[in-house]
Amino acid sequence: MGSMRAIVFFFFFISPLNPISTATVPPLPRIKAVNLGGWLLTEGWIKPSLFNNITNNDLLDGTQVQLKSASVGKYLSVKNGGGEVILANRDSASSSKTFILWRVDSTHFQFRVFLKQFVGVNASSSAVAVATMPGLSETFEIAKSENSVTADSDGNGSWGNDDPSVFLMKTIGTMRGEYQLTNGYGPIKAPAVMRKHWRTFIVEEDFMFMNDNGLNAVRIPVGWWIASDPTPPAPYVGGSLAALDNAFTWAEKYGLKVIIDLHAAPGSQNGDEHGGGRDGSVEWGVAGSGNVEKTVAVIEFLTRRYAARPNLIAVELINQPKAEMVDFDTLKSYYQAGYDAVRRHTSTAYVIFSTRLHGDAGGFISFASGLDRTVLDIHYYNLYLSKFDGWTAQQNIDYVNNQRANELASITNSNGGPLSFVGEWVAEWKVVNASEEEYRRFGEAQLNVFGRASFGWAYWTYKNVDNHWSLKWMITNGYISLVKTSNIAVC
Ligand SMILES: *[C@@H]1O[C@H](CO)[C@@H](O)[C@H](O)[C@H]1NC(C)=O
Ligand SMILES: *[C@@H]1O[C@H](CO)[C@@H](O)[C@H](O)[C@H]1NC(C)=O
Ligand SMILES: *[C@@H]1O[C@H](CO)[C@@H](O)[C@H](O)[C@H]1NC(C)=O
Ligand SMILES: *[C@@H]1O[C@H](CO)[C@@H](O)[C@H](O)[C@H]1NC(C)=O
């Protein structure tokens, strides 16, 4: 008995003197956050009504169209994907016969082909796709009814046919991001639409609601153009920076931390509507584009502006770069430069590295391990991949409890490495007509497993017309509860 007591005292007195076990390791943040998706960075699916008043709102930048000649009944295509003549000789439409719209105004458009040239008319009146920047000869008017196109170019007979150039047009894919919205409304109407949205979509009461319901942070997606507010490059509109200022003030008032998340980088790191960009192409990280340097400057701007705010918990350098398009080394050197930019202004804010979509987290762990206060962000959705097709509610829940839990543990247990963060997840899945109870259990399983992430988690998203994607709706309707009333009586 006496020796047991001696050992206890030994540890009790010695451990505070051990310099490694104290002071240098900050307490885990245990973030329970919600994303403010679709607020300062437009995502059409989150609030489709934003696009309602755009003239010809089915013909926005990035819309993919296929054109079938009414007179010959064949589809237009570009020979070899680009740099060549336009042909009207294909019987069926496929992706190589798809043109991507650049919108000039509600009736004038340019057509980009697979290899990124624009359809135009050359000096001998042939339709070709050779210009890398569109000019007058690459600008077409789309008129008549929604289902027919008149392509009135500079020249005559431009489609290799003397008949009237009438085409049946089918749109097969669309983008509804901030570029599409602001360019769709145009410079006269866009400012009022955007400012009203920023003023009304998220308001001070929302921060009170978050605090009342057990959240302790927000992750706020922004686009790169916010750094040149109040005069961002066209078609973007100024004013979102003031809204971000408000968010910091309201968050502080209601005890919430803020994660700034650069969701859309110049040139776009993923081509998705939430990744910015005009037409879905990925030009971030392309050598010579200067986009990486520009992105570091955006991070530096945002950190400098908010470093003195006591509730700035973290800066996320870039969201969901795609592994197919952004290579590991480019991203790693950006992460080093972005990290340095943050550290020039704050030694306490965490720096969050997003893993690459469809990529492996592994390489970033050893890289981040050499840096102070870093976090690895990984997103978990039981969606998008065909492997989830036809799964039952229970299969989805088991997957969270097993595979997700194991993967998260393997990232989280990296000794001295970055903290782990499930920066996006949602209680939505591919299960058709799931019951309320099944949704509740799915949400609980995720809260339980993602609660083991050492930095924490963030639900995607706070507000959404699609109820299960709205944490506000899920909490209000009793699907998700973060406030554990059962613990209150215990003392
Ligand atoms: C669209 O126009 C209607 C009618 O003028 C207006 O009530 C609504 O707020 C407008 N929506 C947007 C997103 O501007
Ligand atoms: C226009 O394009 C056609 C088809 O590629 C080509 O034969 C012709 O030489 C071009 N004309 C000029 C002036 O470039
Ligand atoms: C187009 O052709 C018509 C007759 O075929 C001619 O009257 C007209 O001037 C031509 N326009 C141009 C721009 O070449
Ligand atoms: C889902 O519910 C709707 C409406 O009750 C019904 O029409 C549909 O057949 C259901 N689908 C499945 C797969 O059960």
Side-chain angles (χ1 to χ4, degrees):
M1 273 311 189
S3 64
M4 282 284 281
R5 184 167 302 218
I7 289 166
V8 171
F9 274 110
F10 176 82
F11 277 102
F12 182 77
F13 285 114
I14 294 300
S15 64
L17 301 175
N18 180 342
I20 293 162
S21 67
T22 56
T24 55
V25 181
L28 295 178
R30 299 290 183 201
I31 293 299
K32 296 178 192 173
V34 65
N35 285 280
L36 303 187
W39 184 35
L40 304 185
L41 175 67
T42 304
E43 293 192 42
W45 68 289
I46 291 177
K47 187 181 172 186
S49 63
L50 274 178
F51 291 76
N52 282 356
N53 298 343
I54 298 177
T55 308
N56 285 336
N57 67 4
D58 54 342
L59 300 177
L60 301 174
D61 290 279
T63 298
Q64 299 173 42
V65 301
Q66 292 176 336
L67 299 164
K68 189 177 179 182
S69 163
S71 49
V72 282
K74 307 241 180 180
Y75 287 93
L76 293 188
S77 71
V78 60
K79 202 174 166 188
N80 297 327
E84 292 261 11
V85 69
I86 302 294
L87 306 167
N89 65 348
R90 301 295 167 144
D91 290 319
S92 68
S94 70
S95 57
S96 66
K97 288 106 212 164
T98 299
F99 300 88
I100 297 178
L101 291 185
W102 276 26
R103 179 173 168 126
V104 178
D105 59 36
S106 61
T107 52
H108 292 85
F109 299 86
Q110 293 147 355
F111 296 83
R112 207 175 192 191
V113 299
F114 181 72
L115 291 177
K116 297 188 179 176
Q117 298 91 343
F118 292 86
V119 175
V121 181
N122 73 7
S124 45
S125 296
S126 282
V128 293
V130 292
T132 52
M133 283 304 290
L136 264 186
S137 310
E138 286 75 36
T139 302
F140 299 85
E141 187 169 357
I142 298 183
K144 298 198 174 168
S145 78
E146 289 204 352
N147 295 324
S148 78
V149 179
T150 305
D152 298 321
S153 71
D154 266 350
N156 272 346
S158 52
W159 304 103
N161 192 309
D162 287 339
D163 290 321
S165 303
V166 177
F167 297 87
L168 301 171
M169 186 173 74
K170 188 179 164 201
T171 61
I172 59 167
T174 178
M175 281 180 81
R176 295 203 154 194
E178 190 136 331
Y179 193 103
Q180 289 70 33
L181 184 66
T182 50
N183 200 37
Y185 277 110
I188 308 298
K189 290 183 185 161
V193 172
M194 299 311 294
R195 282 169 201 157
K196 183 177 174 200
H197 171 63
W198 294 328
R199 208 171 53 238
T200 56
F201 189 63
I202 300 285
V203 296
E204 178 173 342
E205 287 68 37
D206 292 314
F207 289 81
M208 186 161 63
F209 176 93
M210 293 172 210
N211 178 42
D212 286 348
N213 287 283
L215 293 162
N216 61 19
V218 286
R219 177 175 181 255
I220 307 183
V222 298
W224 59 271
W225 51 90
I226 197 172
S228 38
D229 212 273
T231 51
Y236 298 111
V237 167
S240 61
L241 192 59
L244 185 56
D245 289 347
N246 286 339
F248 269 93
T249 302
W250 295 332
E252 191 178 340
K253 184 166 171 189
Y254 296 100
L256 298 155
K257 307 281 189 200
V258 176
I259 299 163
I260 301 176
D261 156 35
L262 184 66
H263 219 72
S268 188
Q269 73 281 14
N270 53 33
D272 295 326
E273 66 182 22
H274 55 74
R278 184 166 192 176
D279 64 10
S281 54
V282 174
E283 272 145 36
W284 190 86
V286 171
S289 68
N291 285 330
V292 173
E293 295 77 359
K294 217 164 144 185
T295 311
V296 174
V298 171
I299 292 297
E300 179 123 32
F301 169 86
L302 290 168
T303 314
R304 188 194 300 121
R305 187 175 184 90
Y306 297 110
R309 297 273 187 157
N311 56 338
L312 174 69
I313 180 86
V315 178
E316 181 154 3
L317 300 182
I318 200 168
N319 181 67
Q320 293 185 349
K322 273 197 185 139
E324 302 88 326
M325 297 134 173
V326 174
D327 71 67
F328 180 83
D329 289 336
T330 303
L331 191 58
K332 202 170 82 170
S333 65
Y334 166 63
Y335 279 168
Q336 182 68 56
Y339 176 88
D340 293 341
V342 173
R343 285 286 167 264
R344 280 194 280 277
H345 304 282
T346 165
S347 58
T348 52
Y350 287 86
V351 181
I352 304 181
F353 302 140
S354 175
T355 52
R356 289 183 306 164
L357 217 53
H358 316 136
D360 175 22
F364 292 108
I365 293 178
S366 57
F367 165 67
S369 297
L371 303 170
D372 190 37
R373 291 201 178 205
T374 55
V375 176
L376 205 59
D377 180 12
I378 182 153
H379 299 168
Y380 287 140
Y381 291 106
N382 282 21
L383 288 157
Y384 309 118
L385 304 178
S386 58
K387 76 171 177 184
F388 297 114
D389 289 352
W391 282 22
T392 63
Q394 192 57 47
Q395 281 176 300
N396 278 280
I397 291 167
D398 290 344
Y399 186 80
V400 168
N401 287 330
N402 300 315
Q403 279 90 334
R404 294 286 196 222
N406 288 341
E407 191 187 333
L408 184 59
S410 75
I411 292 169
T412 305
N413 291 335
S414 52
N415 236 342
L419 301 182
S420 56
F421 178 42
V422 182
E424 292 185 18
W425 65 278
V426 66
E428 185 56 296
W429 47 15
K430 292 187 174 188
V431 180
V432 182
N433 294 348
S435 70
E436 219 178 291
E437 179 56 22
E438 287 169 326
Y439 272 107
R440 250 185 230 116
R441 287 176 49 225
F442 186 45
E444 259 170 39
Q446 293 186 89
L447 282 172
N448 179 37
V449 170
F450 302 160
R452 298 172 205 156
S454 47
F455 185 76
W457 51 259
Y459 194 91
W460 188 274
T461 184
Y462 182 67
K463 276 177 87 176
N464 197 311
V465 288
D466 205 335
N467 292 339
H468 301 133
W469 290 89
S470 163
L471 185 59
K472 184 182 185 186
W473 188 93
M474 295 294 265
I475 288 175
T476 304
N477 290 277
Y479 281 66
I480 285 180
S481 175
L482 304 170
V483 187
K484 294 273 185 282
T485 47
S486 56
N487 291 342
I488 289 173
V490 183
C491 51

